[in-house]
Amino acid sequence: MLLDRLRLRNFRNYASLDIDLFPGKNVLLGDNGQGKTNILEAIYLCGTGKSYRTSRDTELIRWGESTFYTASRFLHRNGDLLVEVACSQERGKRIRLNGVHQDTAIDYIGAANVVIFGPDDLKIIKGSPGERRRFLDLEISAVHEGYRKDLTKYRRILAQRNTFLKDGRHLINSSRGSAALDVWDEQLVSVGTRVMVKRALVIEELSLLAQTAYKEISSRGILQLEYSPSFIVRDLCDSNEELMAEKWSALFHRELLRLRQAEIMRGVTLAGPHRDDMTFTLDGVDMRVFSSQGQQRAAVLALRLAELDFVRNQMGEDAILLLDDVSSELDPSKRAHLWKYIDRGIQTVITTTDEKALNEFEKPANVFKVQSGTVQEVSKWQSELT
């Protein structure tokens, strides 16, 4: 998959921008605060339907304007895809694919695949469990339509069950209330188990891919990703997915029964996918607590490379890679590994303030100068190393 063209109107600091991107490396060169990262954000928005920097779409509107518009043309092996994302103060966000309006952003996820590596990625390791669940949900939803539908359904059931726990406490201890909660439990377990099983299987695959990438980035330690569901499950993955789901379903239901009185007291659901986590370990030790920032950056880079491999395995084509300020985020040896990896043909958009960093490339890159919300193609940069 390739991004052929990007158009922006009143997006962040861009009044108007039309830019043609090239296969291979596209470098956005300029000082801080000129708008380089805004271009990455626009590409990510067109690829996923969401910004990775804010949850408020109206913040993307240029100061003094009332609406923004973005359009991207992606070249898939099965045909071209025109993505249009617009947002106004009055109507909110609207998405169209090849001219067809999408009812919700969740219906759109997966139309185009992008992977981003940047300064905020350490939150995946160091941040809250919600950060890791968000990463998982975006990654799996992008390649599995059934998962994103189950996730949407689970969130709806969870909200309704929580409302019942909170507002119907006077009924719950009655036979009628208990029977009603049993029904909610069945629905929650049915959908939630499918979400959890898919997460476990994907984490297992990502762990193997990340472990391989980490060995090439750093010669020290074995990286593993481990699924941490909200209740104890032994033998997390099984070769038979149906038997695995059956076992997990029974455990999930048993946990809800065990927690019932506590849930009634607190008015909230205490077990399920919404309380899952994922752990990064290096030689069996939790990286969030016992690893250096350099090791954490290497692990996150390995995760992003694993994400690229995962998308290719699932979709049969490469995702687009966005790299925000890697010159300051990675040391020279890790950057060298990254350039070698993407030179196999992955389309990449890179931001940097350091023109000297271009000499690290073994293959040519297309360079764009970014200054005060304007972009000018400079030239095709040929490394001095070649």
Side-chain angles (χ1 to χ4, degrees):
M1 182 179 68
L2 298 174
L3 173 58
D4 180 52
R5 172 168 289 187
L6 175 68
R7 171 179 292 182
L8 306 180
R9 298 291 183 268
N10 296 324
F11 183 91
R12 291 289 193 182
N13 69 325
Y14 289 94
S16 178
L17 175 66
D18 292 271
I19 181 174
D20 293 326
L21 296 170
F22 301 87
K25 294 187 287 292
N26 297 268
V27 180
L28 304 175
L29 177 65
D31 294 334
N32 290 325
Q34 303 304 303
K36 302 185 303 298
T37 300
N38 294 342
I39 294 177
L40 297 192
E41 183 179 27
I43 295 172
Y44 189 89
L45 175 70
C46 288
T48 67
K50 296 182 178 181
S51 165
Y52 67 92
R53 300 165 75 192
T54 179
S55 60
R56 294 170 59 91
D57 297 313
T58 53
E59 291 182 3
L60 306 179
I61 301 173
R62 188 168 183 257
W63 180 259
E65 302 293 338
S66 60
T67 184
F68 78 74
Y69 171 82
T70 69
S72 297
R73 186 170 67 192
F74 294 95
L75 308 181
H76 283 271
R77 59 179 181 170
N78 296 325
D80 297 356
L81 176 67
L82 176 63
V83 177
E84 298 170 280
V85 183
C87 179
S88 67
Q89 300 282 1
E90 297 78 18
R91 298 179 60 189
K93 182 169 63 182
R94 303 178 305 284
I95 300 174
R96 292 194 302 182
L97 301 183
N98 287 337
V100 179
H101 176 73
Q102 305 298 296
D103 292 332
T104 64
I106 195 69
D107 294 328
Y108 163 70
I109 293 175
N113 286 293
V114 295
V115 172
I116 187 161
F117 174 80
D120 291 338
D121 271 7
L122 284 182
K123 292 190 298 186
I124 300 176
I125 294 179
K126 299 172 67 174
S128 68
E131 294 285 349
R132 290 179 285 279
R133 287 195 298 270
R134 180 176 181 272
F135 163 78
L136 274 176
D137 290 340
L138 286 172
E139 181 60 30
I140 305 173
S141 293
V143 298
H144 290 291
E145 181 181 4
Y147 179 85
R148 61 179 179 263
K149 289 182 177 179
D150 280 338
L151 189 63
T152 301
K153 188 175 182 180
Y154 177 82
R155 288 169 175 168
R156 184 174 63 250
I157 294 170
L158 177 65
Q160 293 170 335
R161 186 178 188 270
N162 283 341
T163 298
F164 182 77
L165 284 169
K166 183 177 180 180
D167 297 340
R169 292 180 187 178
H170 62 289
L171 295 174
I172 290 175
N173 289 320
S174 67
S175 59
R176 188 178 67 169
S178 180
L181 192 54
D182 288 342
V183 173
W184 284 119
D185 286 0
E186 290 177 9
Q187 294 183 42
L188 195 76
V189 168
S190 176
V191 181
T193 298
R194 293 198 297 269
V195 170
M196 295 174 68
V197 167
K198 182 60 70 177
R199 283 180 179 175
L201 294 173
V202 168
I203 289 173
E204 183 180 46
E205 182 175 353
L206 283 174
S207 181
L208 294 173
L209 294 171
Q211 189 175 118
T212 300
Y214 191 85
K215 285 180 181 178
E216 296 183 22
I217 297 170
S218 175
S219 59
R220 299 180 180 178
I222 298 175
L223 174 67
Q224 288 183 302
L225 314 183
E226 299 177 358
Y227 184 33
S228 302
S230 59
F231 53 88
I232 297 175
V233 179
R234 294 182 175 84
D235 302 323
L236 285 179
C237 293
D238 193 295
S239 57
N240 188 317
E241 190 169 338
E242 290 186 4
L243 289 178
M244 180 178 169
E246 183 179 337
K247 178 174 68 175
W248 284 41
S249 177
L251 291 171
F252 189 3
H253 192 265
R254 186 185 307 165
E255 183 71 0
L256 289 176
L257 291 176
R258 186 183 73 83
L259 293 171
R260 178 166 288 194
Q261 289 305 312
E263 290 184 335
I264 292 172
M265 290 291 294
R266 296 177 59 177
V268 67
T269 303
L270 298 176
H274 62 292
R275 299 178 73 89
D276 284 351
D277 201 354
M278 176 175 68
T279 304
F280 291 73
T281 65
L282 189 62
D283 290 335
V285 178
D286 189 343
M287 293 192 71
R288 184 173 56 174
V289 181
F290 297 105
S291 61
S292 68
Q293 188 158 294
Q295 290 172 319
Q296 292 173 349
R297 289 195 191 283
V300 172
L301 176 58
L303 177 66
R304 291 307 192 189
L305 297 182
E307 192 177 351
L308 288 171
D309 290 333
F310 176 74
V311 170
R312 187 188 315 107
N313 292 344
Q314 297 292 321
M315 307 300 289
E317 59 183 353
D318 284 314
I320 297 163
L321 178 61
L322 309 177
L323 299 173
D324 193 10
D325 198 21
V326 291
S327 296
S328 63
E329 289 300 302
L330 301 175
D331 61 40
S333 65
K334 292 181 178 63
R335 293 199 302 269
H337 172 78
L338 180 58
W339 306 145
K340 181 179 179 181
Y341 185 92
I342 65 178
D343 275 342
R344 70 186 190 188
I346 297 173
Q347 186 183 33
T348 311
V349 186
I350 306 163
T351 70
T352 185
T353 60
D354 185 8
E355 188 171 342
K356 295 179 181 179
L358 302 178
N359 288 320
E360 298 177 356
F361 300 150
E362 293 186 3
K363 292 186 178 181
N366 296 283
V367 180
F368 300 87
K369 182 69 174 179
V370 182
Q371 187 173 12
S372 300
T374 63
V375 178
Q376 180 182 6
E377 184 180 352
V378 178
S379 64
K380 180 170 285 188
W381 182 279
Q382 181 69 45
S383 171
E384 295 174 1
L385 300 177
T386 61

